[in-house]
Amino acid sequence: MGKYWKYIYVLFFIFLFFNLITDSPDKKVERKQNEIKFSDFVDKAKKGELESIVIKGDIVEGTLKSSKDNNDKNSDENGEKSESKKFTSKVIFYPRLLDILEEKAIPTEIKIDEVSGITFTKIIDIFVSLLWIVMIIFIFRSLKSDKFSIGKTNIKMFTSDMQKVRFSDVLGADEAKQEVAEIVDFLSDPTKYSRLGAKIPKGVLLVGAPGTGKTLLAKAIAGEAGVPFFSTSGSEFVEMFVGVGASRVRALFEQAKKSAPCLVFIDEIDAVGRHRGSGYGGGNDEREQTLNQLLVEMDGFETNAGIIIIAATNRVDVLDDALLRPGRFDRQVYIDLPDLKGREAILKKYINEVDILSDVDIASVARGTPGFSGAELANLVNEAAIIAARKNKKKISQDDFEYARDKILMGLEHKSRTMSPAELKNTAYHEAGHALCSVLLPEVDPIHKATIVPRGQALGLVQQLPERDKVSVNITEIRSNIAVALAGRISEETFFGKDKITTGASSDIQAATKYARNSVVFWGLSPKVGTVYYGEREKYPISEETSREIDLEVKRMIDEGYKLAKSTISKHKTTLEKLAKALLEYETLTGDEVRAIVKGKKIKLTKKIDVAKNRIERISTLPLTTKKKIKQEEKKK
């Protein structure tokens, strides 16, 4: 029957169209009954029996005056006057008609714009009506389409045969997998728990930094259990129309109940689950109504109904407390950034998908990527492949991985950046100061690379890589790191004087200040301020006196680090000069090469790049006199 509706619509609109362009049947009958001959119309006009007329093209419409005779015919039996009678007539050419009407003072109205048949006004009415018809058709069709399905969610359903992800695909999150393993067991065999009266959590909240694999873990749970998997996002429930989000929540749970046992995954739930009362509109805005409906629906099905809600967020601190109470998302699974072992496993997974040389040290790449998430490690492998392809290599080498990591962490090399000889020498001594203190000071992460090639916003850098993942630091390590950060500025001051120090140490000063301030306000490592938390001053206001004490303690720790770096550089001034000259000659030194120079070993450094050529290219925009000086220096060497 549905396919015939469109023909019914067409017939209805055709009828409506003809009804608009033609007079109604009732109007035609009325006009026929009141019509008089033109001669009678003229005769009544001459006798003055017309009360008023309206001339519309070739049609005359008017009313007759009430008739009066000697027998008082104008009154009925009750003595009331008879009503005026309407009439119509067709006008033919009669030159004296207007003179007669004027002579008898008959009110006359002439409507020139109206003609018989389809009038201009009717055409406008037809056009407007057609617009309304088109709009109504569009609305009805849109309501049937997906983009205007107001009460439906844009939910993706994956059946058990579509689920290819397993726990073995989730790497670097062993503890999280153990935490959710019982959910898989429950979905696979619910009676195992229900017969003992055990209750499985209704909701599981996956918490972790972006890229740690929260969505992947949720898919793996469904894949291991072999149940349908519904995937949606918190933003799908938030609309501008109040009530739409709540309707979509109801539709989601109705669909899930039909496919139970199943998993419902809501990504970025903080889009809809934020604290109530924090937005505009009080408790009546769309987001809060949607959250209320979500809370009700989670209480609306039995624990053993076979529906488990899994949500993911990296902002658990903004979620409403009602979401986190027992009975809703009462289990929180934290997915941390992968450790060294996890990073190595993730790298092996992605490296197996590309061609690499046999001498690539995956463990070294993993050690050089602390703090990388799984998504960032995948990006690292992809960047290395792109770099190797750009160089027309057949396989990816260790250098490609190193370059890709440096590019991600610090930006591209700026080989074309203009640097004068003085700036280049200053940068070399600056980075040599960092490198020297990195080797000599206690409990500092091993140096991995020192370079004076500009990268990102830095003119040069010294890179350190930890030997293991760290969860805490001690006071000695903090003091040494502050000294390493300030060593570049101190080296400039020692070899070029206070009047020649540059602004290149701005990021170093920020790093040193951050170490010192965190030690005082967060970590309680200041004996004078004490073990008190002063981190969030907007939540925990502090007095002016305490604030001053904090500033003094930060300054004291900075001064201690400054003195430590200065004494170290003063004692090993000759070694620092050797490092600076090696950087000027080779531009980049590995950690092993730096440590060998500091220890005084005689080693033969091999040029990895044509340093002289690159340096000339980098200063190609300098004045000719400066270029000549540089070329002369290169020839002397």
Side-chain angles (χ1 to χ4, degrees), residues 590-629:
T590 65
D592 292 335
E593 291 169 345
V594 170
R595 283 185 286 272
I597 293 174
V598 172
K599 291 178 181 179
K601 294 181 179 180
K602 293 183 179 180
I603 58 173
K604 185 178 181 181
L605 301 176
T606 57
K607 289 191 177 183
K608 305 174 184 62
I609 57 174
D610 192 341
V611 180
K613 180 180 177 182
N614 285 343
R615 192 169 299 162
I616 293 298
E617 289 177 353
R618 225 176 15 252
I619 60 176
S620 59
T621 58
L622 292 175
L624 292 175
T625 54
T626 307
K627 291 180 184 178
K628 289 180 180 179
K629 289 181 180 179

Side-chain angles (χ1 to χ4, degrees), residues 265-532:
F265 177 66
I266 305 176
D267 199 8
E268 304 297 342
I269 195 173
D270 50 276
V272 69
R274 289 175 175 265
H275 290 293
R276 287 170 288 183
S278 59
Y280 296 105
N284 296 321
D285 66 334
E286 162 66 3
R287 183 184 60 79
E288 294 192 5
Q289 285 202 19
T290 305
L291 174 58
N292 291 336
Q293 186 63 42
L294 178 62
L295 297 175
V296 171
E297 290 292 339
M298 290 191 70
D299 282 337
F301 59 89
E302 297 297 328
T303 306
N304 296 324
I307 303 175
I308 294 180
I309 313 298
I310 298 180
T313 182
N314 54 1
R315 294 292 310 279
V316 68
D317 56 305
V318 303
L319 295 182
D320 193 90
D321 293 337
L323 270 177
L324 305 178
R325 74 157 176 81
R328 291 186 179 128
F329 290 107
D330 49 4
R331 176 168 297 187
Q332 297 182 22
V333 178
Y334 287 86
I335 305 178
D336 297 322
L337 292 169
D339 56 11
L340 178 59
K341 182 180 177 182
R343 292 196 302 274
E344 189 171 347
I346 294 171
L347 283 170
K348 285 180 179 178
K349 174 187 175 182
Y350 290 111
I351 284 176
N352 287 334
E353 301 173 3
V354 297
D355 292 332
I356 64 171
L357 293 174
S358 57
D359 61 346
V360 172
D361 188 358
I362 299 178
S364 175
V365 178
R367 190 172 64 87
T369 53
F372 274 48
S373 65
E376 290 171 328
L377 291 171
N379 183 48
L380 171 68
V381 176
N382 185 58
E383 283 289 341
I386 292 173
I387 292 167
R390 192 184 301 156
K391 297 177 181 178
N392 296 320
K393 292 183 177 180
K394 293 183 178 180
K395 291 188 177 182
I396 306 171
S397 65
Q398 184 80 21
D399 291 339
D400 297 325
F401 284 104
E402 294 281 339
Y403 190 91
R405 183 198 59 216
D406 293 345
K407 177 185 174 183
I408 293 172
L409 290 175
M410 298 166 287
L412 276 171
E413 285 186 349
H414 296 297
K415 293 183 177 181
S416 60
R417 178 173 289 178
T418 302
M419 290 180 67
S420 66
E423 289 175 327
L424 200 63
K425 186 176 182 181
N426 187 286
T427 302
Y429 277 85
H430 182 104
E431 301 305 331
H434 289 310
L436 178 70
C437 290
S438 296
V439 175
L440 296 178
L441 293 181
E443 299 196 34
V444 178
D445 291 334
I447 184 172
H448 176 70
K449 180 190 296 183
T451 180
I452 58 173
V453 176
R455 193 182 278 276
Q457 295 183 351
L459 298 178
L461 59 94
V462 170
Q463 188 179 28
Q464 299 166 264
L465 293 180
E467 293 179 331
R468 56 180 177 80
D469 293 320
K470 294 184 177 181
V471 294
S472 63
V473 293
N474 56 46
I475 297 178
T476 302
E477 186 175 351
I478 293 170
R479 187 182 297 113
S480 295
N481 281 323
I482 293 175
V484 170
L486 299 175
R489 167 63 65 85
I490 296 170
S491 178
E492 292 181 26
E493 181 182 342
T494 302
F495 288 93
F496 305 111
K498 291 185 178 180
D499 296 336
K500 296 295 183 178
I501 58 176
T502 66
T503 59
S506 60
S507 59
D508 300 332
I509 295 172
Q510 290 179 20
T513 305
K514 184 178 179 180
Y515 262 116
R517 184 164 292 277
N518 287 347
S519 301
V520 177
V521 301
F522 289 109
W523 303 331
L525 298 179
S526 168
K528 193 169 185 179
V529 174
T531 53
V532 182

Side-chain angles (χ1 to χ4, degrees), residues 78-90:
N78 295 325
E80 295 177 354
K81 293 182 179 181
S82 62
E83 295 180 355
S84 300
K85 185 180 179 181
K86 294 183 178 181
F87 75 96
T88 61
S89 179
K90 287 199 173 183

Side-chain angles (χ1 to χ4, degrees), residues 159-182:
T159 57
S160 56
D161 57 336
M162 297 169 61
Q163 288 296 328
K164 306 298 182 183
V165 182
R166 297 293 185 268
F167 278 157
S168 58
D169 298 315
V170 182
L171 303 173
D174 296 336
E175 292 80 7
K177 287 191 290 186
Q178 293 174 5
E179 186 78 11
V180 299
E182 62 186 28

Side-chain angles (χ1 to χ4, degrees), residues 106-123:
I106 298 173
T108 303
E109 182 181 355
I110 300 175
K111 295 186 176 180
I112 301 176
D113 61 330
E114 294 195 23
V115 295
S116 61
I118 304 177
T119 64
F120 178 75
T121 305
K122 286 184 179 180
I123 293 175

